Amino acid sequence: MADLINIGISGLKTHQVGLSVTGNNVANINTPGYSRQEAIFVDKPGELTAAGYVGQGASVDAIRRITSDFVLAQQRFDTSIYNEREAILDQASVIDNLLASEATGLTPSLSRFFESLQGAAEDPTSVPQRQLLLTQAEGLVSRFQTLAARLEGVVANINQNLEADVSSINALAQGLAETNAAIALASSSTGEGQKPNQLLDERDELLRELSEYVQLSVVENPNNGTVNVYLGKGDPLVLGNSASQLQTIRNPADGRLLDLAIVKDGLQQNITDNVTGGSVGGLLAFRDGELTTSINAIGRIAMTLADSMNDQHAVGMDLENNLGGLFFADINDPAVAAERVLANSLNTPPYDQSVSIFIQDTSQLTTDNYELRFEGPTDADFIVVNQSTDETVYKSTLSNVFPNRVSIDGFQLSFNGGTFKEGDRFTLYPTQAGAINFEQVIDRVDEIALASPIRSRSSLGNIGNAEITLGEMLDVNNPLTNQRLSEFAVPGELSPPLLIRFVTDNYYEVLDNSNPASPEPLSPPINNQFYAQGLSNMLFTSDPGETLVSATGPDTLTLPAAGAGPFVNGYGAQTLQVQSRDTNTGIVTSQTVNIAANSSARQIVQDLTAVEGIKANAYTQVRLTNFVDDGDPNPLGLIINGETITVTPPATYTPVEIARAINDNPNLDVIAVSDGTQIDLRSVTGEDIVIEVTGLGDSVDVSRIDPYAAGSPVVATQTVNSAQGIAVAGAVDVSMAQGISFTSNTATVFDLAPPALSAYRGFTFEIQGESVKGDEFTIEYNTDGVSDNRNALAMAGLEFEGLVEGSVSYGESYAQVVEKVGTVTNRARLESESAKALLDQTSGLRDSIAAVNLDEEAGKLVQFQAAYNASAQVVSVARDLFDTLLGAFR
């Protein structure tokens, strides 16, 4: 009977536990992280009897927690991904709304600024229009700075979010460590196989919450149920019952940013680059990616706008006849240039390094930041790395002489001095502060340079129909040296004013017109320039590096002795060594030009122009004076270049008539001009001019004149007597592109190292039409040209020029920024929705396994209740039987 009672009692106990477990499930249906449980029933070992083993009832072997480690790990992963995408979406939406909004975006201010420029161009003398331009400029400055401040505000907000998230992570990590300790204690107390289900649920929920902030790696200890938790790429956050602490620290490369560091045993380690996933990973990824790119892109637009507007405004003239100067703040202000380089806070002393970034070409700027690293093997060896691509863009070694300068992606990195050491690092921010530093300099309407400072005039006596343009200003400072061009060295003047004079229908010269009564050659000279009739002919070079060299060697200052022939010009042989430096690579190549003895200027030009990058011009000038006729029957006669000069009676053989005869001879390519006592001869081709004298006892003085000096002074004279002749060589002017120079092995036609003078004047003109000998044009300062709007139109035209990245306008570049941010926002939204769907799916799978199902639990309650009642009936039957048995013995 006792066995039957015990069996009934075991049934009561086991099903009572089942009812308790089921009731506990129902009670915790809304408890976060709760995993349903079930009682595991086993039968007790049977008792051996003569009839065999007889069962002894049932017992509860364990309270099992229904869960799946795989599903939980997947849920944590999906939670991390979803929160990362949500963090990116939240931040991207902020700047998307900021940049795309009509109220806060840049586009309306840009449009209003350029509209006001157009209005000023329509009426450049209008003070109200000029005032409106200043007002709109102020509005544009305010919009750039506001955008920059708002974007920096996003950075600050991310810093705040990181601090809050780190605080939450630390709290969760500490809670997880405490839970681990409790699990270990409970596991050791309950015996083998018995698990503290409530603590395990608490642990898994802490892990899930932790995965909202960062991606985790979880390793379980099978001995006691505790877990080790690692962040991102393997940094330990929780090891058993010990939790590390996270801290936010200032980024060593950029103090305005916060990084993450893990602290263990008092040691701090920066783990920012190792953290992925969760809201923290999303914040860091967005901050270091799209946010940085957007800030730099806005800065690049501001810098390009300021630089291009300043360049154009500088070549204009204001209402006070002054050159324009700066409109916006100089992007290469030394203080600003220094702020673009930030030393890493981990550099070792001394901290005396001085490094700056000067912008060379805004069209080549990127939106990337760079890092300067001194990685050895010596203190002078350095590389520059693009932080976006991690590619080395420059590698070199510092010299011992400062400053050292290197050019990278549109900017110049200048090492100004200091002690550079292996291990030093500097972050380079070429464009980051461009919008913050965008400021207006000009504040008076009179200072707005809407006019061009140069103008041209055609002489009223011109016969041809050739016309000259008003001129295009390029620079007032030489772009290569940043020094003021001599043409604009004197305020309110063009130094010197210029005269273009056609010496033939097809050749012109440009002279210094400071004294209109007596124009003089320029230095460097612009003589004997060919003019293509009917076509557009460019005056002056647009290449700042172009230089001019003239043949002024000893042989050009002498004349050969007159004789009976053959006639040679006396130029000595010469070997020129031409060096060509590639302006992009710096590679220098060399080639030789051999000038044969007695070469004509024309032949020398042909030899030189065979070299790429060299243009040359040749012309010959001779003066004939002191015509002597001894009066014998054999009159004075001249033969020029083999042509006998004949004066037809009744005209007499006078300088005027001789000049007329020369000009009338179709076989002579020589121009003659006489003032009545002398004759000036010119060959525009640079061929030698050979003069022979006929007659007995007659003579003529033949002189070489200096084409580069005022008044064309005589530098050498030979008397040519009857039956004698002389060959006069021509002058050679050489134009060389940037990077080209030459030297000579001996001083004959050219000096040993002829000085190269800049040909760049900062402006160009064009002449088009049919010109006639004697036509003249003047170029002068545009004094009081206040109604001129050429520079206003040029500034307004910048709106649509491809100045950003070398191909897109300011507005298009900003639209690309807005579009890119919008694309990121939409992608983040789609990814967030997709991640949410995956998380919901995984959560649903977890719930299908571990969550409480009321219908199922209700069925178990009925089942366990019935079993409990049946067990009670067994006990009741056993008691009745026992009572009956006792009664039988009474």
Side-chain angles (χ1 to χ4, degrees):
M1 293 304 157
D3 288 344
L4 184 60
I5 291 175
N6 288 335
I7 290 172
I9 291 174
S10 71
L12 288 172
K13 290 181 177 180
T14 55
H15 292 99
Q16 184 179 24
V17 171
L19 285 169
S20 297
V21 170
T22 303
N24 186 60
N25 285 343
V26 173
N28 284 283
I29 187 171
N30 293 316
T31 301
Y34 178 79
S35 298
R36 66 188 178 90
Q37 302 170 11
E38 66 175 354
I40 306 301
F41 297 164
V42 296
D43 58 340
K44 290 184 176 181
E47 182 178 337
L48 180 62
T49 66
Y53 284 96
V54 177
Q56 299 300 305
S59 66
V60 177
D61 182 64
I63 308 300
R64 187 175 68 177
R65 175 170 163 264
I66 308 299
T67 189
S68 168
D69 290 341
F70 171 80
V71 173
L72 289 176
Q74 186 64 43
Q75 184 185 38
R76 288 194 297 267
F77 178 80
D78 291 344
T79 299
S80 178
I81 295 298
Y82 168 67
N83 281 274
E84 178 185 39
R85 299 297 187 265
E86 272 291 287
I88 293 176
L89 176 59
D90 289 345
Q91 301 302 322
S93 297
V94 171
I95 65 172
D96 183 34
N97 294 333
L98 172 67
L99 299 179
S101 170
E102 286 288 326
T104 58
L106 182 62
T107 301
S109 293
L110 267 177
S111 298
R112 287 193 293 267
F113 173 70
F114 281 103
E115 286 172 2
S116 67
L117 260 176
Q118 290 284 0
E122 292 173 3
D123 189 0
T125 61
S126 171
V127 171
Q129 287 289 358
R130 287 170 172 261
Q131 185 59 57
L132 177 61
L133 174 57
L134 286 183
T135 300
Q136 296 301 340
E138 291 169 358
L140 181 60
V141 168
S142 176
R143 183 56 54 87
F144 266 118
Q145 293 183 346
T146 299
L147 276 177
R150 293 285 296 276
L151 290 174
E152 288 300 319
V154 175
V155 175
N157 181 62
I158 289 176
N159 286 342
Q160 292 175 354
N161 288 342
L162 287 175
E163 290 178 329
D165 287 354
V166 165
S167 178
S168 298
I169 291 173
N170 286 334
L172 290 170
Q174 185 60 38
L176 192 57
E178 294 172 356
T179 303
N180 269 344
I183 289 173
L185 179 62
S187 297
S188 64
S189 301
T190 57
E192 184 178 355
Q194 305 305 316
K195 296 182 178 180
N197 293 329
Q198 179 183 359
L199 292 175
L200 295 178
D201 283 346
E202 183 178 339
R203 179 201 69 187
D204 288 344
E205 179 62 15
L206 288 172
L207 289 172
R208 188 198 65 77
E209 291 181 14
L210 197 56
S211 67
E212 294 178 357
Y213 299 100
V214 68
Q215 187 171 321
L216 308 173
S217 296
V218 179
V219 179
E220 184 173 1
N221 185 341
N223 295 325
N224 57 16
T226 62
V227 292
N228 296 333
V229 181
Y230 302 90
L231 296 179
K233 298 180 180 179
D235 297 295
L237 178 64
V238 177
L239 296 177
N241 61 359
S242 175
S244 300
Q245 287 289 304
L246 291 186
Q247 288 183 354
T248 55
I249 60 174
R250 289 294 167 183
N251 184 301
D254 186 348
R256 69 195 180 95
L257 306 179
L258 289 183
D259 278 358
L260 264 63
I262 192 167
V263 181
K264 184 68 175 178
D265 298 329
L267 299 178
Q268 189 182 79
Q269 179 184 356
N270 192 319
I271 61 169
T272 306
D273 293 339
N274 297 334
V275 174
T276 59
S279 60
V280 171
L283 290 172
L284 292 174
F286 180 78
R287 181 195 73 183
D288 298 336
E290 297 307 326
L291 180 56
T292 295
T293 299
S294 298
I295 292 174
N296 290 350
I298 300 299
R300 181 175 65 176
I301 295 171
M303 294 170 67
T304 304
L305 175 61
D307 190 50
S308 55
M309 284 295 297
N310 283 344
D311 286 347
Q312 190 60 54
H313 189 258
V315 299
M317 185 185 75
D318 64 20
L319 286 178
E320 298 169 337
N321 292 323
N322 295 319
L323 294 174
L326 294 175
F327 195 99
F328 296 110
D330 183 6
I331 65 171
N332 282 324
D333 180 275
V336 173
E339 291 172 355
R340 294 181 181 131
V341 180
L342 187 63
N344 194 295
S345 62
L346 301 180
N347 289 352
T348 57
Y351 306 113
D352 59 350
Q353 306 91 345
S354 175
V355 188
S356 302
I357 287 179
F358 294 94
I359 306 303
Q360 289 181 309
D361 187 350
T362 55
S363 68
Q364 295 181 16
L365 292 175
T366 69
T367 57
D368 299 327
N369 296 328
Y370 302 78
E371 188 172 39
L372 169 64
R373 303 174 183 171
F374 285 84
E375 294 190 336
T378 71
D379 288 342
D381 295 314
F382 71 90
I383 61 173
V384 178
V385 177
N386 184 310
Q387 289 188 332
S388 297
T389 63
D390 203 33
E391 294 181 354
T392 299
V393 296
Y394 198 89
K395 183 177 183 179
S396 187
T397 302
L398 284 180
S399 70
N400 294 325
V401 180
F402 292 104
N404 281 198
R405 296 185 177 96
V406 298
S407 296
I408 305 166
D409 293 345
F411 65 88
Q412 183 185 77
L413 182 62
S414 177
F415 300 88
N416 306 316
T419 308
F420 295 93
K421 310 169 295 298
E422 183 179 353
D424 282 353
R425 292 193 173 195
F426 301 84
T427 309
L428 313 180
Y429 302 101
T431 60
Q432 178 178 279
I436 287 289
N437 293 324
F438 186 76
E439 296 179 353
Q440 185 175 337
V441 172
I442 198 166
D443 59 2
R444 293 174 51 235
V445 294
D446 291 348
E447 294 176 328
I448 303 176
L450 302 181
S452 174
I454 55 174
R455 64 188 177 201
S456 61
R457 299 179 188 273
S458 300
S459 173
L460 295 177
N462 286 357
I463 299 175
N465 62 12
E467 295 181 352
I468 187 171
T469 60
L470 291 174
E472 178 184 0
M473 283 293 301
L474 304 175
D475 291 293
V476 294
N477 295 324
N478 190 309
L480 302 181
T481 64
N482 204 34
Q483 299 298 312
R484 181 58 55 95
L485 292 167
S486 61
E487 284 76 6
F488 300 99
V490 180
E493 294 183 12
L494 181 63
S495 303
L498 304 174
L499 172 68
I500 297 99
R501 181 168 62 195
F502 280 83
V503 296
T504 73
D505 290 353
N506 296 315
Y507 285 87
Y508 66 89
E509 60 187 357
V510 183
L511 303 173
D512 179 341
N513 201 37
S514 297
N515 180 7
S518 180
E520 300 176 353
L522 292 170
S523 179
I526 305 180
N527 296 331
N528 208 63
Q529 302 295 301
F530 178 74
Y531 180 81
Q533 296 284 355
L535 301 179
S536 180
N537 293 259
M538 180 72 71
L539 275 68
F540 316 120
T541 181
S542 59
D543 177 8
E546 184 174 322
T547 57
L548 293 176
V549 169
S550 297
T552 56
D555 289 359
T556 66
L557 304 177
T558 63
L559 281 174
F567 307 114
V568 293
N569 62 26
Y571 275 176
Q574 192 171 37
T575 299
L576 304 181
Q577 199 70 30
V578 182
Q579 289 83 35
S580 301
R581 180 180 60 83
D582 190 300
T583 55
N584 294 320
T585 65
I587 296 175
V588 177
T589 57
S590 181
Q591 64 186 102
T592 299
V593 175
N594 292 311
I595 298 176
N598 298 307
S599 292
S600 68
R602 182 178 186 179
Q603 183 59 52
I604 294 172
V605 164
Q606 291 175 351
D607 294 338
L608 284 170
T609 52
V611 179
E612 185 177 358
I614 290 183
K615 296 181 292 183
N617 176 40
Y619 50 99
T620 310
Q621 291 179 279
V622 178
R623 179 168 294 168
L624 305 181
T625 58
N626 197 20
F627 298 87
V628 176
D629 185 347
D630 62 2
D632 65 16
N634 298 302
L636 171 67
L638 294 176
I639 299 175
I640 298 179
N641 288 355
E643 291 290 319
T644 300
I645 306 305
T646 303
V647 176
T648 304
T652 59
Y653 213 76
T654 63
V656 173
E657 295 300 331
I658 293 172
R660 181 179 291 115
I662 292 171
N663 292 329
D664 290 342
N665 190 322
N667 298 320
L668 279 179
D669 193 10
V670 176
I671 304 162
V673 177
S674 175
D675 63 359
T677 61
Q678 63 185 28
I679 301 174
D680 283 343
L681 303 178
R682 177 195 291 259
S683 169
V684 295
T685 64
E687 290 286 8
D688 292 348
I689 296 180
V690 179
I691 297 99
E692 299 175 68
V693 177
T694 61
L696 297 177
D698 304 328
S699 65
V700 173
D701 287 349
V702 178
S703 300
R704 176 192 291 276
I705 59 177
D706 186 351
Y708 311 126
S712 299
V714 171
V715 294
T717 301
Q718 291 285 350
T719 298
V720 181
N721 296 309
S722 297
Q724 291 184 330
I726 190 172
V728 183
V732 178
D733 295 331
V734 183
S735 170
M736 299 179 292
Q738 183 176 350
I740 298 180
S741 62
F742 68 82
T743 57
S744 173
N745 67 327
T746 183
T748 55
V749 181
F750 292 95
D751 289 325
L752 292 175
L757 301 178
S758 175
Y760 189 67
R761 296 182 175 276
F763 52 77
T764 61
F765 286 80
E766 292 181 38
I767 301 179
Q768 187 173 6
E770 301 293 333
S771 61
V772 176
K773 176 183 176 181
D775 285 354
E776 292 182 345
F777 303 91
T778 57
I779 297 173
E780 60 190 6
Y781 199 78
N782 191 19
T783 304
D784 296 330
V786 294
S787 60
D788 186 301
N789 69 348
R790 283 178 289 161
N791 203 51
L793 292 173
M795 287 193 292
L798 295 175
E799 179 181 10
F800 302 108
E801 287 193 23
L803 300 173
V804 184
E805 298 181 88
S807 60
V808 297
S809 67
Y810 316 122
E812 290 170 338
S813 180
Y814 183 74
Q816 289 177 358
V817 175
V818 175
E819 180 182 3
K820 187 173 183 179
V821 172
T823 300
V824 169
T825 304
N826 289 332
R827 184 174 68 242
R829 183 175 291 108
L830 292 174
E831 290 177 347
S832 176
E833 293 173 354
S834 176
K836 184 65 167 62
L838 288 174
L839 177 59
D840 289 344
Q841 181 179 349
T842 305
S843 297
L845 178 60
R846 183 265 174 196
D847 289 346
S848 69
I849 296 172
V852 176
N853 185 312
L854 288 179
D855 292 338
E856 181 180 350
E857 300 304 323
K860 287 184 177 181
L861 284 175
V862 172
Q863 175 188 351
F864 292 147
Q865 181 184 15
Y868 184 87
N869 291 334
S871 296
Q873 188 64 35
V874 169
V875 172
S876 177
V877 169
R879 186 184 59 189
D880 291 344
L881 290 174
F882 187 73
D883 289 343
T884 301
L885 181 62
L886 289 177
F889 290 99
R890 291 178 181 159

